[in-house]
């Protein structure tokens, strides 16, 4: 490792498992102090303990990313402890139901988890990123389904597509403040959530 993130402060929302966990480990290995934020407080604590055991620096945070109050509290703690934020990554997401017959309740939940969390995570943490002296970075995880469309879950493509468009807008909005905004659109990655995707395909053997 190059330790290129020495003395940087990072927050990973959705850092308790899968890709979020891997991102937390990599940021810490590069020297950043990492806030591991996750709905599952126990998972956030486990990832933090792993990082500490490896000689890194991290702090667990139990955060419901769809809750504005929880996000405000997270950024308030970062402000009090460090006064700035260099890296903000939003990994939060859910697969969404299959097909187009989606209840209003499920529709709203998908919007809250996949879209609301990204918008308010970025905007509520923005002032802290402005204090990073031109080194601020916002990143999101969307999906290839945001680019090519999913025939199995159109609502997933809808919500992840919104993240791509939002990132383009944030990149333009934040540039004058020296803050970069980028989105990654991964394909299939072996995470705890992967089996939920395959379970939507007709005749799919989830075990395989």
């Amino acid at each position: 490792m190059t330790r290129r993130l020495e003395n940087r402060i990072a927050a990973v929302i959705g850092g308790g498992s899968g890709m979020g966990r891997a991102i937390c480990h990599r940021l810490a290995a590069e020297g950043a102090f990492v806030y591991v934020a996750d709905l599952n407080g126990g998972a956030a604590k486990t990832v933090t303990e792993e990082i500490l055991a490896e000689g890194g620096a991290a702090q667990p945070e139990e955060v419901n990313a769809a809750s504005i109050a929880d996000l405000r509290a997270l950024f308030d703690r970062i402000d009090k402890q460090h006064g700035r934020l260099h890296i903000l990554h939003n990994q939060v997401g859910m697969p969404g139901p299959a097909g187009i017959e989606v209840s209003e309740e499920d529709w709203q939940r998908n919007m809250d988890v996949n879209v609301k969390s990204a918008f308010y995570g970025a905007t509520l943490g923005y002032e802290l990123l402005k204090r990073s002296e031109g080194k601020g970075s916002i990143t999101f995880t969307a999906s290839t389904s945001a680019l090519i469309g999913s025939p199995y879950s159109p609502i997933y493509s809808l919500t992840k597509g919104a993240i791509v468009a939002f990132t383009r807008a944030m990149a333009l909005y934040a540039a004058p403040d020296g803050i970069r905004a980028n989105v990654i659109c991964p394909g299939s990655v072996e995470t705890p959530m992967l089996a939920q995707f395959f379970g939507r395909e007709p005749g799919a053997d989830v075990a395989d």
Side-chain angles (χ1 to χ4, degrees), residues 135-147:
K135 296 182 176 67
S137 174
I138 305 171
T139 53
F140 304 94
T141 295
S143 169
T144 51
S145 294
L147 305 177

Side-chain angles (χ1 to χ4, degrees), residues 2-9 26-28 30-33 87:
T2 62
R3 303 289 294 181
R4 58 182 170 162
L5 299 179
E6 204 77 53
N7 300 317
R8 306 285 176 86
I9 311 302
R26 182 56 185 265
L27 292 173
E30 293 285 1
F33 182 99
I87 300 162

Side-chain angles (χ1 to χ4, degrees), residues 89-162:
H89 177 71
N90 185 289
Q91 183 64 41
V92 176
M94 63 180 293
I100 59 173
E101 294 184 5
V102 180
S103 69
E104 186 174 358
E105 181 181 4
D106 282 343
W107 188 93
Q108 189 61 58
R109 182 165 179 257
N110 276 260
M111 291 296 166
D112 286 348
V113 173
N114 289 354
V115 180
K116 180 182 178 183
S117 66
F119 179 84
Y120 283 105
T123 56
L124 293 176
Y126 193 80
E127 288 302 314
L128 286 171
L129 289 160
K130 283 175 66 174
R131 300 178 200 164
S132 63
E133 300 176 340
K135 296 182 176 67
S137 174
I138 305 171
T139 53
F140 304 94
T141 295
S143 169
T144 51
S145 294
L147 305 177
I148 61 175
S150 168
Y152 305 114
S153 180
I155 192 172
Y156 185 71
S157 289
L158 169 65
T159 57
K160 289 301 185 178

Side-chain angles (χ1 to χ4, degrees), residues 11-16 33-45 48 58-64 70 73-75 77-78 81:
V12 179
I13 303 175
F33 182 99
V34 183
Y35 285 86
V36 183
D38 201 276
L39 180 63
N40 185 332
K45 183 178 180 181
T48 297
Q59 178 171 317
E61 297 285 348
E62 184 172 335
V63 175
N64 178 354
D70 276 17
L74 169 65
F75 294 125
R77 284 191 290 276
I78 295 173
Q81 293 172 5

